[in-house]
Amino acid sequence: MPTAEVDLPSDIEVEIDRLVDEGEFLNRKEAVEELLSTGLNVYDVTAGEEEEERFEEEMRETSERSLGDEYEF
């Protein structure tokens, strides 16, 4: 598995240690891996939401064009 060295601000280091001490993670390595993975997943979801919004807008425009002036709501 690839490794990386990262300098963390002290408040993040303290928070990771707290999570390990409280038993949320077995150790710091597991905590960092899981937290990074979760962060990346959230980032990907956000990108998908933007695409979904564009798709919805395109569908609205398509339905408005196809309905034309024939129908009034």
Side-chain angles (χ1 to χ4, degrees), residues 6-62:
V6 179
D7 294 323
L8 298 174
S10 60
D11 59 324
I12 293 177
E13 185 176 15
V14 168
E15 189 65 18
I16 290 171
D17 288 340
R18 182 187 64 78
L19 291 169
V20 172
D21 291 343
E22 291 178 356
E24 293 293 326
F25 301 99
L26 294 176
N27 53 48
R28 289 174 55 95
K29 182 180 183 287
E30 180 187 274
V32 171
E33 287 177 1
E34 182 67 28
L35 293 168
L36 282 172
S37 178
T38 300
L40 291 171
N41 287 337
V42 169
Y43 180 81
D44 287 343
V45 169
T46 303
E49 289 174 1
E50 292 171 4
E51 291 175 16
E52 186 176 323
E53 288 172 5
R54 271 188 264 133
F55 175 76
E56 289 173 0
E57 182 62 29
E58 289 174 9
M59 291 297 101
R60 274 197 241 56
E61 290 173 2
T62 302

